[in-house]
Amino acid sequence: MRAPHTGVDRAGSVFRMYVGGNAIVTWYVAMTDPRSLMHLVASTRDGAVLIWLLMAVGAAALLDAVINDFMPERFHWRIGRRQRHYILAALAFCYIAQLYVEFFNLRSGGLLAYYLWNAATIMFIAFIDAHQRNKDNQCSTVCN
Protein backbone atom coordinates (compact mmCIF):
# COMPACT_ATOMS: atom_id res chain seq x y z
CA MET A 1 0.00 0.00 0.00
CA ARG A 2 1.37 3.35 -1.00
CA ALA A 3 1.38 6.37 1.29
CA PRO A 4 -1.09 9.14 0.44
CA HIS A 5 0.14 12.06 -1.64
CA THR A 6 1.83 14.92 0.15
CA GLY A 7 1.98 18.45 -1.19
CA VAL A 8 5.44 17.80 -2.63
CA ASP A 9 4.17 14.67 -4.42
CA ARG A 10 1.27 16.62 -5.95
CA ALA A 11 3.61 19.40 -7.08
CA GLY A 12 5.81 16.81 -8.79
CA SER A 13 2.76 15.24 -10.43
CA VAL A 14 1.54 18.57 -11.73
CA PHE A 15 5.04 19.44 -12.94
CA ARG A 16 5.33 16.14 -14.85
CA MET A 17 1.96 16.85 -16.46
CA TYR A 18 3.15 20.36 -17.36
CA VAL A 19 6.43 19.30 -18.96
CA GLY A 20 4.73 16.48 -20.86
CA GLY A 21 2.04 18.83 -22.12
CA ASN A 22 4.58 21.53 -22.90
CA ALA A 23 6.59 19.09 -25.02
CA ILE A 24 3.47 18.11 -26.95
CA VAL A 25 2.52 21.77 -27.48
CA THR A 26 6.09 22.50 -28.64
CA TRP A 27 5.77 19.68 -31.19
CA TYR A 28 2.38 21.00 -32.30
CA VAL A 29 3.67 24.55 -32.80
CA ALA A 30 6.72 23.26 -34.68
CA MET A 31 4.51 21.18 -36.99
CA THR A 32 1.69 23.65 -37.63
CA ASP A 33 3.11 27.18 -37.53
CA PRO A 34 5.58 27.75 -40.37
CA ARG A 35 6.35 31.23 -39.01
CA SER A 36 7.66 29.92 -35.68
CA LEU A 37 11.34 29.45 -34.94
CA MET A 38 10.56 25.96 -33.67
CA HIS A 39 9.26 25.10 -37.14
CA LEU A 40 12.57 26.21 -38.61
CA VAL A 41 14.40 23.84 -36.25
CA ALA A 42 11.95 21.03 -37.07
CA SER A 43 12.42 21.59 -40.79
CA THR A 44 16.03 20.41 -40.59
CA ARG A 45 16.66 16.66 -40.75
CA ASP A 46 18.08 16.41 -37.23
CA GLY A 47 15.51 18.82 -35.85
CA ALA A 48 12.62 16.78 -37.29
CA VAL A 49 13.84 13.64 -35.54
CA LEU A 50 14.25 15.52 -32.27
CA ILE A 51 10.86 17.21 -32.39
CA TRP A 52 9.12 13.85 -32.93
CA LEU A 53 11.19 12.32 -30.12
CA LEU A 54 10.22 15.27 -27.91
CA MET A 55 6.54 14.62 -28.64
CA ALA A 56 6.85 10.89 -27.89
CA VAL A 57 8.71 11.43 -24.61
CA GLY A 58 6.32 14.25 -23.67
CA ALA A 59 3.38 11.90 -24.20
CA ALA A 60 5.13 9.30 -22.00
CA ALA A 61 5.63 11.92 -19.25
CA LEU A 62 2.00 12.99 -19.46
CA LEU A 63 0.74 9.39 -19.36
CA ASP A 64 3.07 8.57 -16.48
CA ALA A 65 1.75 11.48 -14.42
CA VAL A 66 -1.90 10.75 -15.17
CA ILE A 67 -1.72 6.97 -14.69
CA ASN A 68 0.71 6.75 -11.78
CA ASP A 69 -0.36 9.83 -9.84
CA PHE A 70 -4.03 10.44 -10.46
CA MET A 71 -5.60 7.07 -11.25
CA PRO A 72 -6.48 4.35 -8.72
CA GLU A 73 -3.67 2.08 -7.52
CA ARG A 74 -4.76 -0.88 -9.68
CA PHE A 75 -3.89 1.05 -12.88
CA HIS A 76 -0.37 2.10 -11.84
CA TRP A 77 2.73 1.11 -13.80
CA ARG A 78 5.18 -0.20 -11.20
CA ILE A 79 8.26 0.20 -13.39
CA GLY A 80 7.15 3.64 -14.54
CA ARG A 81 7.14 5.04 -11.01
CA ARG A 82 10.65 3.80 -10.26
CA GLN A 83 12.13 4.96 -13.56
CA ARG A 84 10.26 8.21 -14.18
CA HIS A 85 13.38 10.34 -13.78
CA TYR A 86 14.60 8.78 -17.05
CA ILE A 87 11.59 10.26 -18.83
CA LEU A 88 12.49 13.69 -17.47
CA ALA A 89 16.13 13.23 -18.46
CA ALA A 90 15.04 12.24 -21.98
CA LEU A 91 12.92 15.41 -22.22
CA ALA A 92 15.90 17.49 -21.14
CA PHE A 93 18.05 15.71 -23.75
CA CYS A 94 15.52 16.58 -26.47
CA TYR A 95 15.63 20.27 -25.54
CA ILE A 96 19.44 20.37 -25.33
CA ALA A 97 19.87 18.47 -28.60
CA GLN A 98 17.50 20.90 -30.31
CA LEU A 99 19.67 23.67 -28.95
CA TYR A 100 22.61 22.34 -30.94
CA VAL A 101 20.51 21.99 -34.09
CA GLU A 102 19.18 25.50 -33.57
CA PHE A 103 22.61 26.99 -32.93
CA PHE A 104 24.22 25.51 -36.00
CA ASN A 105 21.30 26.38 -38.30
CA LEU A 106 19.60 29.53 -36.98
CA ARG A 107 21.68 31.16 -34.24
CA SER A 108 18.57 32.50 -32.50
CA GLY A 109 19.06 33.90 -29.00
CA GLY A 110 15.37 33.45 -28.17
CA LEU A 111 15.37 29.74 -28.91
CA LEU A 112 18.67 29.39 -27.10
CA ALA A 113 17.09 30.80 -23.93
CA TYR A 114 13.91 28.70 -24.39
CA TYR A 115 15.72 25.38 -24.82
CA LEU A 116 18.26 26.05 -22.04
CA TRP A 117 15.55 27.09 -19.58
CA ASN A 118 13.42 24.00 -20.29
CA ALA A 119 16.36 21.60 -20.09
CA ALA A 120 17.76 23.11 -16.88
CA THR A 121 14.38 23.18 -15.14
CA ILE A 122 13.50 19.62 -16.13
CA MET A 123 16.87 18.25 -14.99
CA PHE A 124 16.63 20.12 -11.69
CA ILE A 125 13.22 18.57 -10.98
CA ALA A 126 14.44 15.13 -12.13
CA PHE A 127 17.27 15.29 -9.59
CA ILE A 128 14.90 16.40 -6.82
CA ASP A 129 12.46 13.62 -7.77
CA ALA A 130 15.16 10.92 -7.79
CA HIS A 131 16.59 12.19 -4.49
CA GLN A 132 13.17 12.26 -2.81
CA ARG A 133 12.28 8.75 -3.98
CA ASN A 134 15.65 7.48 -2.75
CA LYS A 135 15.02 9.12 0.62
CA ASP A 136 11.50 7.62 0.75
CA ASN A 137 12.85 4.15 -0.09
CA GLN A 138 15.52 4.36 2.61
CA CYS A 139 12.95 5.45 5.16
CA SER A 140 10.56 2.65 4.23
CA THR A 141 13.26 -0.01 4.72
CA VAL A 142 14.72 1.55 7.89
CA CYS A 143 11.51 2.88 9.47
CA ASN A 144 9.50 -0.32 9.00
Side-chain angles (χ1 to χ4, degrees):
M1 185 75 160
R2 205 176 64 165
H5 280 287
T6 64
V8 174
D9 290 339
R10 281 288 179 213
S13 301
V14 171
F15 179 78
R16 279 187 291 283
M17 286 183 65
Y18 167 76
V19 296
N22 187 53
I24 293 169
V25 169
T26 299
W27 168 83
Y28 179 77
V29 168
M31 293 292 117
T32 61
D33 186 1
R35 297 168 296 170
S36 73
L37 290 173
M38 290 175 219
H39 178 76
L40 294 176
V41 171
S43 64
T44 65
R45 189 186 76 204
D46 296 332
V49 170
L50 288 170
I51 201 74
W52 281 96
L53 182 61
L54 178 70
M55 188 273 301
V57 176
L62 192 60
L63 282 172
D64 170 54
V66 169
I67 291 171
N68 287 324
D69 296 331
F70 296 106
M71 292 186 77
E73 184 81 29
R74 67 179 178 271
F75 295 112
H76 290 187
W77 296 338
R78 302 286 179 233
I79 293 174
R81 289 188 59 80
R82 289 189 300 258
Q83 307 301 330
R84 64 179 16 162
H85 58 282
Y86 290 122
I87 293 173
L88 295 174
L91 276 173
F93 165 78
C94 289
Y95 283 115
I96 287 295
Q98 286 182 43
L99 172 68
Y100 286 111
V101 171
E102 180 274 328
F103 178 76
F104 289 115
N105 291 307
L106 304 175
R107 303 194 193 289
S108 167
L111 276 181
L112 174 77
Y114 175 76
Y115 289 134
L116 278 177
W117 176 255
N118 277 309
T121 304
I122 291 168
M123 285 308 296
F124 179 70
I125 298 299
F127 285 125
I128 290 172
D129 182 61
H131 176 70
Q132 185 62 42
R133 276 186 289 105
N134 183 36
K135 210 163 105 175
D136 290 346
N137 288 340
Q138 286 177 350
C139 182
S140 68
T141 56
V142 173
C143 297
N144 292 330

